[in-house]
Amino acid sequence: MATTDTMRQDAYPTRVSDTPELLERTEPVVRGGVDDGPLGQDALEAFDRDGYLVLPEVFSADEVAAIRARLDELSADPTVRADERTITELESEEVRSIFEIHKSDPRFAKLSADPRVADVARQLLGSDVYIHQSRINVKPGFVGKGFWWHSDFETWHAEDGMPRMRCLSASITLTDNYPHNGPLMVVPGSHRTFITTVGQTPEDHYKASLKKQEVGTPDHDSLTELIVGQDREIRQLTGKAGSVVFFDCNIMHASSENQTPFPRSNVFLVYNSVENTLDEPFAASKRRPEFAAATSFEPVPRS
Ligand code: 6CS
Ligand code: FE
């Protein structure tokens, strides 16, 4: 019998039931080997086990300074601030995120193709890659708010139509990340469990979720089962500016607000495998705008 859209295979059914579940990941984490890129066996095994990998000080202080200077220019530019791709904080007019920077700015386009980042993404995903989403998270001192616990893949699957977990983020730290200024927190190993969430996706959900996500985030009992029940830990990814944190699309992560004078700014580049291009959303009436979910799947050029 011919399958219809409603019968499309969905390995990760989320936002469809009123009871959350913890499902096993049904696919590999690392798809390439030591001959497919710069990472050695230990690094590949660490990413496979933990769902993330920190490469310290990949970019020089001068390179970071140039990117930060550009970030400061963009954040102050009234045209950028008025752009729908710029998200401000819920309680202030402070810039929270600037999306699609790999398309709007040549420096970030070059950064997204930098072999120090893109070659690692290709190796881990075992294929050519394209940019699903890019953004800068500014998290300025004192007023930068946090990001509640979530799996990126849950949103990218439900709202953007991303079929499988063959996708990762590379976070380039533009400022030193301390324990106290809202660094990325991850639950190592959580990438192998998919927590389904309850609650239907509202129309134009991204307008609220990019400021403060609620629908699509795991409930407290599921988070407790994931962390306490599965005997996992919460790890703060601190480190010097210029480091790169690669993290799997399904790892459970969050970050706290920043109550210090020290900004915590990162560039996020989301690499999706060209074998995992977007389908129709799995749990939303329509896909999010292009700046949140690219539908041009050109591979990032190799250098
Ligand atoms: O909804 C999204 O696509 C974005 N939101 C968060 C909190 N992380 C992933 C992504 O940038
Ligand atoms: Fe995220």
Side-chain angles (χ1 to χ4, degrees):
M1 179 174 72
T3 55
T4 63
D5 274 357
T6 49
M7 292 171 62
R8 176 177 53 162
Q9 283 304 313
D10 183 357
Y12 304 105
T14 189
R15 305 188 198 181
V16 289
S17 152
D18 54 10
T19 46
E21 285 182 277
L22 275 69
L23 306 178
E24 274 301 299
R25 179 186 190 122
T26 57
E27 58 191 286
V29 174
V30 173
R31 287 176 169 84
V34 287
D35 299 333
D36 301 318
L39 297 181
Q41 191 57 32
D42 290 352
L44 292 173
E45 286 172 7
F47 188 88
D48 193 65
R49 178 190 62 239
D50 298 335
Y52 79 94
L53 179 73
V54 179
L55 297 187
E57 298 178 60
V58 170
F59 293 92
S60 69
D62 288 350
E63 289 177 302
V64 171
I67 300 171
R68 275 196 72 182
R70 188 59 188 141
L71 163 60
D72 294 344
E73 283 169 8
L74 291 170
S75 302
D77 181 337
T79 317
V80 171
R81 293 177 66 89
D83 191 307
E84 70 155 348
R85 296 171 293 182
T86 300
I87 310 295
T88 53
E89 294 287 4
L90 200 56
E91 295 155 15
S92 73
E93 279 314 299
E94 291 288 337
V95 174
R96 175 177 172 87
S97 306
I98 304 175
F99 279 82
E100 209 174 50
I101 47 166
H102 72 291
K103 281 190 187 159
S104 60
D105 187 292
R107 291 168 190 77
F108 291 105
K110 185 163 175 274
L111 188 62
S112 68
D114 190 305
R116 291 170 286 183
V117 188
D119 284 352
V120 173
R122 291 186 192 101
Q123 184 179 15
L124 291 169
L125 299 177
S127 72
D128 264 328
V129 294
Y130 74 92
I131 300 290
H132 169 66
Q133 180 189 104
S134 69
R135 72 192 184 283
I136 298 172
N137 279 351
V138 183
K139 198 179 281 192
F142 298 118
V143 293
K145 296 303 177 201
F147 293 79
W148 180 249
W149 290 106
H150 64 282
S151 151
D152 292 340
F153 178 74
E154 196 281 343
T155 291
W156 297 340
H157 183 69
E159 299 189 50
D160 300 343
M162 188 180 286
R164 309 294 298 195
M165 297 176 179
R166 194 170 180 178
C167 179
L168 60 82
S169 291
S171 166
I172 303 168
T173 56
L174 300 180
T175 56
D176 292 349
N177 281 223
Y178 306 104
H180 48 259
N181 70 336
L184 192 58
M185 295 186 286
V186 295
V187 177
S190 61
H191 59 305
R192 292 188 179 281
T193 299
F194 181 72
I195 298 181
T196 70
T197 70
V198 299
Q200 297 214 319
T201 307
E203 286 302 309
D204 292 337
H205 179 225
Y206 71 96
K207 290 182 178 169
S209 67
L210 295 182
K211 284 178 178 288
K212 188 170 187 290
Q213 187 182 6
E214 285 167 6
V215 169
T217 58
D219 64 285
H220 294 181
D221 291 344
S222 298
L223 272 175
T224 304
E225 170 54 27
L226 179 77
I227 299 169
V228 180
Q230 294 186 2
D231 194 22
R232 296 191 187 286
E233 61 175 298
I234 293 174
R235 217 172 271 174
Q236 280 184 328
L237 302 187
T238 54
K240 303 277 294 163
S243 308
V244 185
V245 182
F246 294 89
F247 57 102
D248 180 85
C249 61
N250 186 49
I251 194 168
M252 192 57 67
H253 63 288
S255 66
S256 305
E257 65 182 12
N258 183 3
Q259 297 173 308
T260 76
F262 313 108
R264 194 235 60 179
S265 304
N266 295 353
V267 178
F268 285 86
L269 299 163
V270 180
Y271 293 92
N272 192 24
S273 166
V274 292
E275 312 294 332
N276 191 39
T277 52
L278 303 187
D279 197 332
E280 287 307 309
F282 284 83
S285 59
K286 65 179 186 295
R287 201 180 288 145
R288 298 193 297 172
E290 188 72 19
F291 73 80
T295 53
S296 50
F297 305 133
E298 297 100 39
V300 168
R302 291 171 179 266
S303 48

mmCIF file of all heavy atoms in Angstrom, residues 59-87:
data_model
loop_
_atom_site.group_PDB
_atom_site.id
_atom_site.type_symbol
_atom_site.label_atom_id
_atom_site.label_comp_id
_atom_site.label_asym_id
_atom_site.label_seq_id
_atom_site.Cartn_x
_atom_site.Cartn_y
_atom_site.Cartn_z
ATOM 1 N N PHE A 59 41.568 29.222 17.333
ATOM 2 C CA PHE A 59 41.724 30.521 16.666
ATOM 3 C C PHE A 59 42.606 31.422 17.531
ATOM 4 O O PHE A 59 42.486 31.442 18.749
ATOM 5 C CB PHE A 59 40.351 31.158 16.418
ATOM 6 C CG PHE A 59 39.530 30.393 15.404
ATOM 7 C CD1 PHE A 59 38.648 29.393 15.802
ATOM 8 C CD2 PHE A 59 39.670 30.657 14.049
ATOM 9 C CE1 PHE A 59 37.918 28.664 14.865
ATOM 10 C CE2 PHE A 59 38.937 29.937 13.105
ATOM 11 C CZ PHE A 59 38.055 28.937 13.515
ATOM 12 N N SER A 60 43.475 32.189 16.847
ATOM 13 C CA SER A 60 44.430 33.054 17.573
ATOM 14 C C SER A 60 43.699 34.243 18.193
ATOM 15 O O SER A 60 42.562 34.565 17.817
ATOM 16 C CB SER A 60 45.472 33.578 16.576
ATOM 17 O OG SER A 60 44.826 34.505 15.694
ATOM 18 N N ALA A 61 44.382 34.899 19.102
ATOM 19 C CA ALA A 61 43.802 36.083 19.762
ATOM 20 C C ALA A 61 43.469 37.149 18.713
ATOM 21 O O ALA A 61 42.419 37.800 18.779
ATOM 22 C CB ALA A 61 44.781 36.621 20.795
ATOM 23 N N ASP A 62 44.320 37.302 17.701
ATOM 24 C CA ASP A 62 44.037 38.300 16.648
ATOM 25 C C ASP A 62 42.783 37.927 15.850
ATOM 26 O O ASP A 62 41.940 38.774 15.538
ATOM 27 C CB ASP A 62 45.235 38.404 15.683
ATOM 28 C CG ASP A 62 46.424 39.108 16.342
ATOM 29 O OD1 ASP A 62 46.221 39.659 17.459
ATOM 30 O OD2 ASP A 62 47.525 39.089 15.772
ATOM 31 N N GLU A 63 42.665 36.633 15.529
ATOM 32 C CA GLU A 63 41.464 36.204 14.773
ATOM 33 C C GLU A 63 40.205 36.442 15.598
ATOM 34 O O GLU A 63 39.199 36.938 15.107
ATOM 35 C CB GLU A 63 41.587 34.716 14.422
ATOM 36 C CG GLU A 63 42.623 34.391 13.367
ATOM 37 C CD GLU A 63 42.745 32.887 13.112
ATOM 38 O OE1 GLU A 63 43.033 32.138 14.068
ATOM 39 O OE2 GLU A 63 42.536 32.470 11.958
ATOM 40 N N VAL A 64 40.266 36.103 16.881
ATOM 41 C CA VAL A 64 39.092 36.297 17.755
ATOM 42 C C VAL A 64 38.779 37.781 17.874
ATOM 43 O O VAL A 64 37.613 38.190 17.782
ATOM 44 C CB VAL A 64 39.344 35.684 19.145
ATOM 45 C CG1 VAL A 64 38.240 36.081 20.120
ATOM 46 C CG2 VAL A 64 39.465 34.163 19.042
ATOM 47 N N ALA A 65 39.821 38.606 18.016
ATOM 48 C CA ALA A 65 39.603 40.062 18.158
ATOM 49 C C ALA A 65 38.905 40.618 16.917
ATOM 50 O O ALA A 65 37.970 41.429 17.027
ATOM 51 C CB ALA A 65 40.937 40.754 18.394
ATOM 52 N N ALA A 66 39.297 40.135 15.749
ATOM 53 C CA ALA A 66 38.686 40.639 14.499
ATOM 54 C C ALA A 66 37.210 40.228 14.433
ATOM 55 O O ALA A 66 36.334 41.027 14.069
ATOM 56 C CB ALA A 66 39.443 40.067 13.298
ATOM 57 N N ILE A 67 36.904 38.995 14.842
ATOM 58 C CA ILE A 67 35.504 38.535 14.804
ATOM 59 C C ILE A 67 34.673 39.315 15.828
ATOM 60 O O ILE A 67 33.560 39.756 15.558
ATOM 61 C CB ILE A 67 35.420 37.021 15.091
ATOM 62 C CG1 ILE A 67 36.212 36.220 14.064
ATOM 63 C CG2 ILE A 67 33.965 36.552 15.100
ATOM 64 C CD1 ILE A 67 36.345 34.737 14.405
ATOM 65 N N ARG A 68 35.260 39.536 17.022
ATOM 66 C CA ARG A 68 34.516 40.273 18.064
ATOM 67 C C ARG A 68 34.255 41.708 17.628
ATOM 68 O O ARG A 68 33.175 42.262 17.860
ATOM 69 C CB ARG A 68 35.307 40.272 19.372
ATOM 70 C CG ARG A 68 35.074 39.045 20.199
ATOM 71 C CD ARG A 68 35.529 39.242 21.616
ATOM 72 N NE ARG A 68 34.628 40.155 22.359
ATOM 73 C CZ ARG A 68 34.869 40.498 23.623
ATOM 74 N NH1 ARG A 68 35.967 40.071 24.219
ATOM 75 N NH2 ARG A 68 34.025 41.282 24.269
ATOM 76 N N ALA A 69 35.244 42.302 16.958
ATOM 77 C CA ALA A 69 35.068 43.696 16.490
ATOM 78 C C ALA A 69 33.896 43.743 15.510
ATOM 79 O O ALA A 69 33.038 44.627 15.571
ATOM 80 C CB ALA A 69 36.349 44.180 15.829
ATOM 81 N N ARG A 70 33.815 42.744 14.650
ATOM 82 C CA ARG A 70 32.712 42.684 13.684
ATOM 83 C C ARG A 70 31.392 42.460 14.414
ATOM 84 O O ARG A 70 30.374 43.076 14.083
ATOM 85 C CB ARG A 70 32.985 41.554 12.676
ATOM 86 C CG ARG A 70 32.001 41.511 11.518
ATOM 87 C CD ARG A 70 31.989 42.785 10.734
ATOM 88 N NE ARG A 70 30.924 42.808 9.738
ATOM 89 C CZ ARG A 70 30.188 43.899 9.448
ATOM 90 N NH1 ARG A 70 30.409 45.033 10.098
ATOM 91 N NH2 ARG A 70 29.228 43.866 8.531
ATOM 92 N N LEU A 71 31.406 41.602 15.427
ATOM 93 C CA LEU A 71 30.195 41.370 16.231
ATOM 94 C C LEU A 71 29.727 42.680 16.876
ATOM 95 O O LEU A 71 28.542 43.035 16.836
ATOM 96 C CB LEU A 71 30.477 40.316 17.315
ATOM 97 C CG LEU A 71 29.481 40.227 18.478
ATOM 98 C CD1 LEU A 71 28.081 39.907 17.972
ATOM 99 C CD2 LEU A 71 29.927 39.180 19.491
ATOM 100 N N ASP A 72 30.671 43.447 17.423
ATOM 101 C CA ASP A 72 30.296 44.717 18.069
ATOM 102 C C ASP A 72 29.681 45.678 17.046
ATOM 103 O O ASP A 72 28.685 46.350 17.326
ATOM 104 C CB ASP A 72 31.525 45.353 18.734
ATOM 105 C CG ASP A 72 32.037 44.501 19.912
ATOM 106 O OD1 ASP A 72 31.259 43.612 20.372
ATOM 107 O OD2 ASP A 72 33.195 44.687 20.331
ATOM 108 N N GLU A 73 30.268 45.698 15.836
ATOM 109 C CA GLU A 73 29.719 46.571 14.781
ATOM 110 C C GLU A 73 28.285 46.145 14.428
ATOM 111 O O GLU A 73 27.373 46.964 14.378
ATOM 112 C CB GLU A 73 30.591 46.473 13.513
ATOM 113 C CG GLU A 73 31.889 47.234 13.552
ATOM 114 C CD GLU A 73 32.788 46.852 12.350
ATOM 115 O OE1 GLU A 73 32.326 46.110 11.433
ATOM 116 O OE2 GLU A 73 33.953 47.276 12.347
ATOM 117 N N LEU A 74 28.111 44.834 14.253
ATOM 118 C CA LEU A 74 26.779 44.338 13.861
ATOM 119 C C LEU A 74 25.747 44.651 14.955
ATOM 120 O O LEU A 74 24.645 45.084 14.703
ATOM 121 C CB LEU A 74 26.846 42.825 13.594
ATOM 122 C CG LEU A 74 27.626 42.375 12.363
ATOM 123 C CD1 LEU A 74 27.804 40.852 12.365
ATOM 124 C CD2 LEU A 74 26.917 42.823 11.089
ATOM 125 N N SER A 75 26.146 44.402 16.227
ATOM 126 C CA SER A 75 25.204 44.612 17.343
ATOM 127 C C SER A 75 24.804 46.076 17.473
ATOM 128 O O SER A 75 23.705 46.371 17.945
ATOM 129 C CB SER A 75 25.840 44.169 18.665
ATOM 130 O OG SER A 75 26.211 42.833 18.611
ATOM 131 N N ALA A 76 25.680 46.978 17.031
ATOM 132 C CA ALA A 76 25.387 48.423 17.171
ATOM 133 C C ALA A 76 24.695 48.978 15.929
ATOM 134 O O ALA A 76 24.113 50.067 15.965
ATOM 135 C CB ALA A 76 26.692 49.179 17.416
ATOM 136 N N ASP A 77 24.680 48.217 14.852
ATOM 137 C CA ASP A 77 24.140 48.721 13.575
ATOM 138 C C ASP A 77 22.598 48.722 13.604
ATOM 139 O O ASP A 77 21.984 47.666 13.732
ATOM 140 C CB ASP A 77 24.640 47.801 12.448
ATOM 141 C CG ASP A 77 24.153 48.243 11.072
ATOM 142 O OD1 ASP A 77 23.119 48.948 11.010
ATOM 143 O OD2 ASP A 77 24.814 47.884 10.077
ATOM 144 N N PRO A 78 21.969 49.906 13.479
ATOM 145 C CA PRO A 78 20.493 49.970 13.569
ATOM 146 C C PRO A 78 19.796 49.087 12.529
ATOM 147 O O PRO A 78 18.757 48.488 12.796
ATOM 148 C CB PRO A 78 20.186 51.446 13.321
ATOM 149 C CG PRO A 78 21.472 52.172 13.460
ATOM 150 C CD PRO A 78 22.583 51.200 13.250
ATOM 151 N N THR A 79 20.415 48.961 11.361
ATOM 152 C CA THR A 79 19.798 48.113 10.312
ATOM 153 C C THR A 79 19.797 46.658 10.748
ATOM 154 O O THR A 79 18.806 45.946 10.605
ATOM 155 C CB THR A 79 20.617 48.239 8.993
ATOM 156 O OG1 THR A 79 20.938 49.588 8.784
ATOM 157 C CG2 THR A 79 19.863 47.651 7.816
ATOM 158 N N VAL A 80 20.910 46.245 11.347
ATOM 159 C CA VAL A 80 21.004 44.852 11.826
ATOM 160 C C VAL A 80 20.009 44.659 12.968
ATOM 161 O O VAL A 80 19.266 43.694 13.026
ATOM 162 C CB VAL A 80 22.444 44.530 12.284
ATOM 163 C CG1 VAL A 80 22.509 43.178 12.993
ATOM 164 C CG2 VAL A 80 23.405 44.581 11.112
ATOM 165 N N ARG A 81 19.946 45.650 13.864
ATOM 166 C CA ARG A 81 19.055 45.506 15.023
ATOM 167 C C ARG A 81 17.594 45.433 14.610
ATOM 168 O O ARG A 81 16.772 44.804 15.239
ATOM 169 C CB ARG A 81 19.272 46.680 15.985
ATOM 170 C CG ARG A 81 20.638 46.684 16.662
ATOM 171 C CD ARG A 81 20.790 47.910 17.537
ATOM 172 N NE ARG A 81 19.845 47.861 18.646
ATOM 173 C CZ ARG A 81 20.128 47.288 19.816
ATOM 174 N NH1 ARG A 81 21.293 46.700 20.002
ATOM 175 N NH2 ARG A 81 19.245 47.271 20.797
ATOM 176 N N ALA A 82 17.282 46.053 13.462
ATOM 177 C CA ALA A 82 15.877 46.059 12.990
ATOM 178 C C ALA A 82 15.556 44.814 12.158
ATOM 179 O O ALA A 82 14.394 44.525 11.882
ATOM 180 C CB ALA A 82 15.632 47.300 12.150
ATOM 181 N N ASP A 83 16.583 44.053 11.817
ATOM 182 C CA ASP A 83 16.403 42.883 10.942
ATOM 183 C C ASP A 83 15.706 41.761 11.716
ATOM 184 O O ASP A 83 15.995 41.547 12.897
ATOM 185 C CB ASP A 83 17.800 42.431 10.465
ATOM 186 C CG ASP A 83 17.732 41.408 9.344
ATOM 187 O OD1 ASP A 83 17.038 40.391 9.523
ATOM 188 O OD2 ASP A 83 18.360 41.658 8.297
ATOM 189 N N GLU A 84 14.824 41.006 11.036
ATOM 190 C CA GLU A 84 14.096 39.932 11.757
ATOM 191 C C GLU A 84 15.048 38.814 12.191
ATOM 192 O O GLU A 84 14.722 38.004 13.042
ATOM 193 C CB GLU A 84 12.979 39.347 10.897
ATOM 194 C CG GLU A 84 13.416 38.527 9.714
ATOM 195 C CD GLU A 84 12.352 37.509 9.270
ATOM 196 O OE1 GLU A 84 11.376 37.279 10.016
ATOM 197 O OE2 GLU A 84 12.540 36.924 8.203
ATOM 198 N N ARG A 85 16.251 38.796 11.599
ATOM 199 C CA ARG A 85 17.238 37.763 11.964
ATOM 200 C C ARG A 85 17.978 38.106 13.252
ATOM 201 O O ARG A 85 18.766 37.316 13.755
ATOM 202 C CB ARG A 85 18.236 37.572 10.820
ATOM 203 C CG ARG A 85 17.613 37.037 9.536
ATOM 204 C CD ARG A 85 18.567 37.069 8.383
ATOM 205 N NE ARG A 85 18.904 38.440 7.992
ATOM 206 C CZ ARG A 85 19.702 38.735 6.963
ATOM 207 N NH1 ARG A 85 20.254 37.761 6.249
ATOM 208 N NH2 ARG A 85 19.957 39.988 6.656
ATOM 209 N N THR A 86 17.711 39.302 13.776
ATOM 210 C CA THR A 86 18.308 39.702 15.051
ATOM 211 C C THR A 86 17.265 39.557 16.146
ATOM 212 O O THR A 86 16.181 40.135 16.053
ATOM 213 C CB THR A 86 18.799 41.166 14.974
ATOM 214 O OG1 THR A 86 19.778 41.258 13.935
ATOM 215 C CG2 THR A 86 19.427 41.595 16.304
ATOM 216 N N ILE A 87 17.616 38.752 17.157
ATOM 217 C CA ILE A 87 16.670 38.474 18.242
ATOM 218 C C ILE A 87 17.148 39.234 19.471
ATOM 219 O O ILE A 87 18.317 39.106 19.859
ATOM 220 C CB ILE A 87 16.652 36.956 18.560
ATOM 221 C CG1 ILE A 87 16.486 36.122 17.283
ATOM 222 C CG2 ILE A 87 15.587 36.635 19.613
ATOM 223 C CD1 ILE A 87 15.180 36.299 16.555
#
